[in-house]
Amino acid sequence: MKQMLGLKYRLNPTPQQAARLRVLAGHSRFVWNQALAECLAARERGERVPRYGTMAGWITAWKRQDATAFLTEAYTDNLQQKLRDLDTAWQRHFTPGLAADAPRFKKKGKSRDAIRFVNFPKYCRLDHRRVKLPAGLGWVRFRQSRPVVGKITSCTVGLDGGHWHISFQVEIEVAESPRHPATSAVGLDMGVVHFAVDSNGTAYAGRNSFRQIEKRIATAQRQLKHKVRFSQNWKKQKARITRLHQTAANARRDTLHKLSTAISQNHAMVAVEDLRVRNMSASAKGTLATPGNRVKQKAGLNKAILDQGWFEFRRQLGYKQTWRGGLLIAVPARHTSQTCPECGHVAAGNRPSRATFRCQACDHTAHADVVGARNVLARAHEQLSGQGLPVAPVK
Ligand SMILES: [Zn+2]
């Protein structure tokens, strides 16, 4: 069985290579925006949004026009890739149920500038700590913080946090149906106070580990206010803030990986609540006609979910379980915190406070998060037995 994986590293281009990368990123952005404008114009005229086949022809036309002749120096494969991405973005937008936003214009510095190199085996080469890239880049060094495993199919070079990074998309072969070494199952309750609590009563720390860096970000933000907008010092301070955010993001990802690995190694089945951040965000805002209730609390919770990286965590758990032959099951989250795991009594009154659970029927008392986790696990067992078949792992 083949599995795709992205491996990201810090790229160390020479000043010349960095300049070339900026030009290539500019071309990508230009082509995306130009094509998007054409698409919007077509929509305005009441026509259908053009598909990739049509858009691909535009590149040749633009190269012939004086104003856009600079595209002759572009890396055509990447431009085509951008148009494919745009086509995909539109198709996602038109798919009912996905609720994907329409594609937007990319702004310099604001959007993630990325250049994609497809067909890696044909056009690129890897040699220890450097990678050979086409489009006039040549050998570029990168910081190999962990080994590159698997067969590289393509790679993406992007600028974030003021640094260039390279992501290799690799294909790895995993055993057809590996058998998970553990036999235990665990339920997880994702929380705001603790990152997660499992059904055995273990709490996993979350955000507290980032308090330090968050403080530094807050201080840096305050200092920014005292600087003259767009002055050299202001720009420097801006860059400092971006770097701090990057450090925070790395630390967070690292923590999530450690946690998802540990949980996946120890349990053959992991059950989680089925959270959909999109729905939750929507319910927080509501619509003009029917504004959502408890908007503030929900918005706060949404931010916490995004900050804590629950979705990234779930994604990691999903593929790590697949590797090991385990399962990740998502269950409906409804009433998990109000149902008694001992007698099944469901009542809001079972939850006298945020942290405590006391069943009004049988007097079972426990920490509310542990109760949530036990219920999540119980529901996963129900799902499995109810269908008489193992449920497909969550993607
Ligand atoms: Zn009870």
Side-chain angles (χ1 to χ4, degrees):
M1 188 170 59
K2 286 192 171 70
Q3 184 154 10
M4 299 300 291
L5 188 66
L7 301 170
K8 189 173 173 183
Y9 303 92
R10 174 91 166 259
L11 202 62
N12 293 326
T14 62
Q16 289 89 340
Q17 288 169 330
R20 177 69 181 147
L21 285 171
R22 275 195 296 276
V23 170
L24 292 175
H27 291 157
S28 309
R29 212 163 41 232
F30 176 83
V31 163
W32 171 282
N33 288 341
Q34 192 84 356
L36 178 56
E38 297 274 356
C39 292
L40 293 173
R43 259 191 134 180
E44 196 90 321
R45 294 191 299 267
E47 297 163 15
R48 308 195 100 201
V49 168
R51 297 297 310 262
Y52 171 72
T54 313
M55 291 197 244
W58 297 344
I59 297 179
T60 328
W62 290 333
K63 282 182 183 173
R64 287 205 197 101
Q65 288 163 17
D66 286 345
T68 46
F70 61 87
L71 285 179
T72 47
E73 285 170 28
Y75 177 47
T76 309
D77 283 3
N78 178 51
L79 302 186
Q80 288 168 345
Q81 205 55 47
K82 289 294 140 184
L83 296 180
R84 281 204 186 91
D85 292 347
L86 180 59
D87 185 37
T88 312
W90 276 118
Q91 296 316 308
R92 283 177 58 81
H93 176 59
F94 294 137
T95 308
L98 273 183
D101 290 330
R104 288 189 204 149
F105 288 105
K106 290 192 191 295
K107 288 193 193 115
K108 188 179 177 183
K110 284 268 173 70
S111 320
R112 195 177 172 276
D113 294 331
I115 307 134
R116 183 118 47 99
F117 300 93
V118 290
N119 203 345
F120 192 93
K122 190 168 172 198
Y123 300 114
C124 313
R125 247 163 72 201
L126 186 72
D127 171 42
H128 297 292
R129 282 147 202 280
R130 44 181 210 155
V131 57
K132 194 178 188 184
L133 298 172
L137 286 161
W139 288 102
V140 191
R141 301 183 68 85
F142 68 99
R143 196 186 289 173
Q144 205 182 117
S145 42
R146 51 182 166 152
V148 183
V149 291
K151 179 177 168 262
I152 308 173
T153 56
S154 67
C155 69
T156 308
V157 173
L159 184 64
D160 31 33
H163 296 295
W164 289 98
H165 290 89
I166 186 160
S167 281
F168 296 107
Q169 279 77 52
V170 301
E171 206 177 71
I172 57 164
E173 192 70 44
V174 289
E176 202 56 60
S177 51
R179 176 167 292 207
H180 200 286
T183 50
S184 63
V186 77
L188 293 179
D189 182 87
M190 314 300 285
V192 176
V193 180
H194 299 291
F195 176 75
V197 172
D198 74 18
S199 47
N200 302 326
T202 311
Y204 301 95
R207 173 133 231 236
N208 292 346
S209 35
F210 309 114
R211 282 268 158 81
Q212 208 63 29
I213 188 126
E214 275 172 357
K215 266 189 205 152
R216 284 169 59 197
I217 292 175
T219 312
Q221 291 278 17
R222 271 198 305 279
Q223 289 166 343
L224 183 71
K225 281 195 194 132
H226 301 300
K227 309 216 184 301
V228 180
R229 254 186 107 101
F230 305 118
S231 66
Q232 271 320 310
N233 281 329
W234 183 86
K235 281 181 192 157
K236 259 191 219 157
Q237 187 68 11
K238 266 284 215 205
R240 192 172 298 143
I241 293 169
T242 315
R243 276 199 305 276
L244 283 172
H245 277 293
Q246 193 68 27
T247 312
N250 289 343
R252 191 170 294 139
R253 195 171 33 229
D254 202 49
T255 311
L256 293 180
H257 268 299
K258 281 188 186 129
L259 193 56
S260 57
T261 300
I263 292 175
S264 162
Q265 271 170 350
N266 290 320
H267 303 286
M269 178 172 103
V270 182
V272 292
E273 287 170 77
D274 192 359
L275 295 164
R276 293 205 171 95
V277 82
R278 213 171 177 54
N279 295 346
M280 295 184 83
S281 308
S283 74
K285 265 187 252 154
T287 59
L288 266 183
T290 51
N293 52 355
R294 304 203 309 156
V295 170
K296 243 199 174 143
Q297 290 91 320
K298 281 184 191 165
L301 180 63
N302 283 337
K303 188 180 175 302
I305 292 170
L306 295 171
D307 280 357
Q308 299 238 18
W310 288 353
F311 288 83
E312 171 59 17
F313 175 70
R314 223 185 82 166
R315 189 187 69 80
Q316 293 175 2
L317 258 184
Y319 76 72
K320 288 177 187 178
Q321 283 297 78
T322 309
W323 277 358
R324 297 197 168 87
L327 274 180
L328 173 72
I329 293 178
V331 301
R334 219 173 136 74
H335 297 318
T336 41
S337 60
Q338 300 171 5
T339 308
C340 174
E342 294 293 328
C343 74
H345 179 64
V346 186
N350 284 351
R351 185 89 183 267
S353 78
R354 194 191 178 101
T356 21
F357 179 93
R358 181 176 295 128
C359 178
Q360 291 179 324
C362 76
D363 216 31
H364 171 68
T365 310
H367 192 287
D369 293 343
V370 180
V371 167
R374 282 184 64 185
N375 285 326
V376 166
L377 179 59
R379 275 180 202 186
H381 280 305
E382 269 167 38
Q383 266 192 23
L384 287 173
S385 62
Q387 305 191 3
L389 283 168
V391 173
V394 178
K395 285 276 149 61

